[in-house]
């Protein structure tokens, strides 16, 4: 068998090709992969990401000069201007400006002219972001000397521009503050919430009152110019323009004359005055004290003193007291009368003896005059505001019936007024609440307390106005409203299912209050016959000092009411007839003397 010949590798004369072929294949594959990667990247950049990069390139040469929309005007029912727009000067910067080497010099000069710190200016630019394509407002409402200085140093202030802009203006200042509210520049937090609704940096928004309730109507739509700029950010030409769309004007039910009369009548007292048409709920006046000047918030930077007085004032001037809840006191006897007569336990002819005090459940409840008024029927009891008469009614009808009628009158829920976020629901206590809060059942003492509008019961002055409208218009609950064209609110009337005899007793009693009872301050020749009810609520200030609230609610003419007025004096210390009644008197006089000149005797100057 021949031997197998295996050549020695070291001595072989044959050429080596296998390893070299592998290297060639590897290089070819590597080149192909690299080329494919580059091509794929180019495809990704040019085709998939092409539009994005084109937009970025465009943004480097295109800027937006935004134009703020003019906010809609607000008028009273007769066309008198209540809120409008003025056009002060504001200073703007391109966000790119602070990245330039020259920015340190520009920023120092700008800081000196505007009286702002460098940090404040930088923060404005940072909020916008360095790649923002629109101007950023640094300061609004420039003073004349600031405008002059910016013009004087314009050669040193590259990328600094001055433009006029629309700023909210309230020509009557404090007199309509709680009706109109105010606008203020969005905070960073608010901007995050509102950005998807078209709001942008530097935009303003209604913060309370009409400005907040009708923000979408009043605001309008932004416009602006698309401008091509050179490498230094200088405008070259306008590429396109969109006109800003102004907000819609609105007309309120407010009567300027009645509002001003209410302001004057309330004077320096804390409290509120509401004037309303009892037939349809149209608000003719709504005043709250203490008040504030809403123009303060139109400034970009109000003084610390101004803001502290408004935001941190001990008496809370931003609170609309017409919409805050208080014990309604004896005005509530309207509800107690209704509950008594509709329960079937009392008749229009019922007569009850009154006393200096009565005991219920082991507690003594006093008459307000500590003597009583003898035997009274319902109408006369309303006129004299006898507590012991209504204690007996409340005790006999019981908590369930009294609470039921309280809710039928609209207490314990919002009225449907446009300022929903500012309006309190008030509070109607009941058995479930008492067991939860006090671990005790409802007692006869709770019914007695509630029968005269005290205890845990709370109602807003606006709810009290709605209550007075029921006997005034013949038994209907209306929806108070401020928008004159609010057809739904004007036509909304909910009938309270009560007997005509009950309505008759209520109207008779409320008329007697003014003709011969606790509201005689309004029984004057300067007015047509007035019907109403006084109230004095026990209350204590935070320091523990007793200082009662004073109430008066009434309407006129008593037989065919046109106007209803509720006056509330917070912690006045006086009675409803002596403090709140004269306030309502002055408001009614203004209304009737303007509407019927010469018909009624004018008040003494």
């Amino acid at each position: 068998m021949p031997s197998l010949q295996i050549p020695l590798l070291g001595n072989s004369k044959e050429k080596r090709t296998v390893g070299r072929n592998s290297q060639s294949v590897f290089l070819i594959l590597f080149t192909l992969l690299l080329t494919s990667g580059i091509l794929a990247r180019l495809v990704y950049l040019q085709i998939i990401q092409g539009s994005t990069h084109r937009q970025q390139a465009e943004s480097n040469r295109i800027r937006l000069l935004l134009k703020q929309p003019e906010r809609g005007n607000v008028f009273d029912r007769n066309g008198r201007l209540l809120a409008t727009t003025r056009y002060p000067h504001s200073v703007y910067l391109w966000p790119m400006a602070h990245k330039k080497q020259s920015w340190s010099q520009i920023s120092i000069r700008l800081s000196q002219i505007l009286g702002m710190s460098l940090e404040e200016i930088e923060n404005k630019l940072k909020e916008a972001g360095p790649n923002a394509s629109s101007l950023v407002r640094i300061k609004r409402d420039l003073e004349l000397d600031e405008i002059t200085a910016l013009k004087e140093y314009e050669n040193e202030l590259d990328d600094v521009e001055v433009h006029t802009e629309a700023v909210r203006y309230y020509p009557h200042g404090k007199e309509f503050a709680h009706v109109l509210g105010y606008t203020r520049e969005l905070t960073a937090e608010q901007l995050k919430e509102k950005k998807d609704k078209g709001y942008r940096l530097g935009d303003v928004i209604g913060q309370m009152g009409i400005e907040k309730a009708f923000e979408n109507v009043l605001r309008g739509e932004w416009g602006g110019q698309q401008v091509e700029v050179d490498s230094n950010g200088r405008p070259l030409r306008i590429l396109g323009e969109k006109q800003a769309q102004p907000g819609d004007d609105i007309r309120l039910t407010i009567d300027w004359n009645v509002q001003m009369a209410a302001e004057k009548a309330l004077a320096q007292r804390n409290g509120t005055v509401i004037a309303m048409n009892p037939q349809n709920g149209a608000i003719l006046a709504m005043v709250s004290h203490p008040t504030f000047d809403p123009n303060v918030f139109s400034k970009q930077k109000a003084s610390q003193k101004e803001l502290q007085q408004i935001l941190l004032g001990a008496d809370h001037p931003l609170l609309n007291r017409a919409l805050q809840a208080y014990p309604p006191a004896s005005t509530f006897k309207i509800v107690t009368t209704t509950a008594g007569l509709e329960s079937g336990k009392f008749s229009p002819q019922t007569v009850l003896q009154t006393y200096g005090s009565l005991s219920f459940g082991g507690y003594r409840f006093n008459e307000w005059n500590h003597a009583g008024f003898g035997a009274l029927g319902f109408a006369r009891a309303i006129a004299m505001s006898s507590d012991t008469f209504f204690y007996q009614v409340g005790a006999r009808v019981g908590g369930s019936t009294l609470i039921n009628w309280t809710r039928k009158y609209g207490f314990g829920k919002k009225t449907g007024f446009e300022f929903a976020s500012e309006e309190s629901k008030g509070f109607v206590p009941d058995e479930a609440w008492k067991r939860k809060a006090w671990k005790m059942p409802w007692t006869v003492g709770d019914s007695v307390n509630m029968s005269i509008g005290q205890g845990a019961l709370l109602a807003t002055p606006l709810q009290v106005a709605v209550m007075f409208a029921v006997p005034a218009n013949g038994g209907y609950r209306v929806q108070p409203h401020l928008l004159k064209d609010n057809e739904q609110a004007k036509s909304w009337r909910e009938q309270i299912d009560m007997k005509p005899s009950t309505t008759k007793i209520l109207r008779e009693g409320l008329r007697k209050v003014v003709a011969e009872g606790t509201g005689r301050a309004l029984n004057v020749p300067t007015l047509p016959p007035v019907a109403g009810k006084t109230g004095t609520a026990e209350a204590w200030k935070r320091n523990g000092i007793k200082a009662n609230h004073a109430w008066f609610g009434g309407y006129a003419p008593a037989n065919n009411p046109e106007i209803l007025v509720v006056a509330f004096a917070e912690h006045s210390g006086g009675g409803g007839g002596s403090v709140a009644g004269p306030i309502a008197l002055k408001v009614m006089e203004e209304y009737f003397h303007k509407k019927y000149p010469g018909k009624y005797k004018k008040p003494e100057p």
Side-chain angles (χ1 to χ4, degrees), residues 343-364:
S343 70
K345 296 180 179 180
F346 300 91
S347 75
Q349 292 75 40
T350 294
V351 174
L352 298 176
Q353 185 65 36
T354 61
Y355 306 91
S357 65
L358 285 172
S359 293
F360 297 93
Y363 293 93
R364 184 164 291 278

Side-chain angles (χ1 to χ4, degrees), residues 4-278:
L4 183 65
Q5 300 294 320
I6 301 176
L8 296 174
L9 294 176
N11 297 326
S12 176
K13 294 181 181 179
E14 296 179 16
K15 292 184 180 180
R16 185 179 174 191
T17 60
V18 175
R20 291 178 183 177
N21 289 338
S22 298
Q23 287 178 351
S24 299
V25 171
F26 175 78
L27 288 172
I28 292 169
L29 289 174
F30 177 78
T31 303
L32 288 172
L33 286 172
L34 185 63
T35 304
S36 299
I38 293 171
L39 288 172
R41 181 62 177 168
L42 287 172
V43 168
Y44 176 77
L45 293 174
Q46 290 292 326
I47 299 176
I48 299 175
Q49 288 288 306
S51 61
T52 300
H53 291 298
R54 280 192 295 273
Q55 287 175 5
Q56 290 177 346
E58 287 290 304
S59 68
N60 288 331
R61 70 180 187 87
I62 296 173
R63 295 289 182 265
L64 297 176
L65 297 178
L66 295 174
K67 184 171 178 57
Q68 185 182 8
E70 182 176 326
R71 206 167 174 86
N73 295 315
V74 181
F75 301 91
D76 85 335
R77 69 187 301 110
N78 298 311
R80 190 148 188 168
L81 188 64
L82 303 180
T84 188
T85 301
R86 61 186 181 89
Y87 297 90
H89 290 80
S90 296
V91 62
Y92 293 83
L93 289 173
W94 292 113
M96 61 182 284
H98 75 293
K99 295 185 292 185
K100 296 182 178 180
Q101 292 181 353
S102 60
W103 172 244
S104 58
Q105 289 77 30
I106 295 173
S107 62
I108 292 172
R109 178 64 74 188
L110 196 60
S111 172
Q112 292 170 344
I113 293 173
L114 300 179
M116 298 175 68
S117 68
L118 294 174
E119 184 181 11
E120 285 180 284
I121 299 173
E122 283 290 333
N123 286 340
K124 289 282 184 182
L125 292 166
K126 286 177 182 176
E127 285 179 19
N131 296 318
S133 60
S134 59
L135 287 166
V136 176
R137 183 177 59 223
I138 300 301
K139 187 176 182 180
R140 72 193 314 175
D141 210 1
L142 298 178
E143 300 291 344
L144 181 60
D145 59 338
E146 292 173 324
I147 298 171
T148 303
L150 288 169
K151 183 69 176 176
E152 183 179 348
Y153 291 100
E154 63 181 349
N155 292 334
E156 301 177 23
L157 298 173
D158 291 341
D159 304 300
V160 176
E161 298 185 22
V162 176
H163 299 282
T164 58
E165 66 169 337
V167 171
R168 203 55 162 167
Y169 176 59
Y170 306 94
H172 304 293
K174 296 180 178 181
E175 281 79 4
F176 293 83
H178 292 92
V179 168
L180 299 174
Y182 64 94
T183 61
R184 197 174 187 185
E185 190 172 319
L186 286 162
T187 63
E189 292 74 21
Q190 288 175 320
L191 182 59
K192 289 178 183 177
E193 296 174 8
K194 299 284 186 180
K195 205 164 188 177
D196 60 343
K197 295 182 180 179
Y199 288 85
R200 40 176 58 86
L201 185 69
D203 208 348
V204 297
I205 189 170
Q207 300 285 356
M208 65 177 281
I210 286 294
E211 296 284 18
K212 181 177 181 180
F214 295 101
E215 168 69 17
N216 292 338
V217 176
L218 293 167
R219 180 172 176 251
E221 186 179 337
W222 282 77
Q225 292 178 333
Q226 195 176 44
V227 180
E228 184 180 3
V229 297
D230 62 19
S231 59
N232 293 315
R234 304 291 181 191
L236 296 176
R237 61 191 176 112
I238 295 173
L239 302 176
E241 184 170 2
K242 178 187 176 183
Q243 292 295 324
Q245 297 299 313
D248 293 333
D249 295 343
I250 59 175
R251 183 169 290 199
L252 306 183
T253 58
I254 289 289
D255 185 309
W256 187 89
N257 292 311
V258 179
Q259 179 84 5
M260 298 301 283
E263 275 282 346
K264 187 177 179 180
L266 193 54
Q268 299 304 311
R269 294 184 183 90
N270 286 2
T272 185
V273 177
I274 300 168
M276 185 176 81
N277 182 333

Side-chain angles (χ1 to χ4, degrees), residues 315-332:
D315 289 331
H316 308 291
L318 283 179
L319 269 184
N320 187 344
R321 281 160 168 77
L323 308 178
Q324 305 305 306
Y326 306 90
S330 290
T331 63
F332 185 76

Side-chain angles (χ1 to χ4, degrees), residues 296-322:
V296 169
F297 294 102
S298 294
K299 303 175 185 177
Q300 185 183 23
K301 191 173 181 182
S303 73
Q304 196 66 24
K305 183 179 179 181
E306 287 175 315
L307 289 176
Q308 282 183 339
Q309 286 176 341
I310 296 174
L311 300 175
L312 304 176
D315 289 331
H316 308 291
L318 283 179
L319 269 184
N320 187 344
R321 281 160 168 77

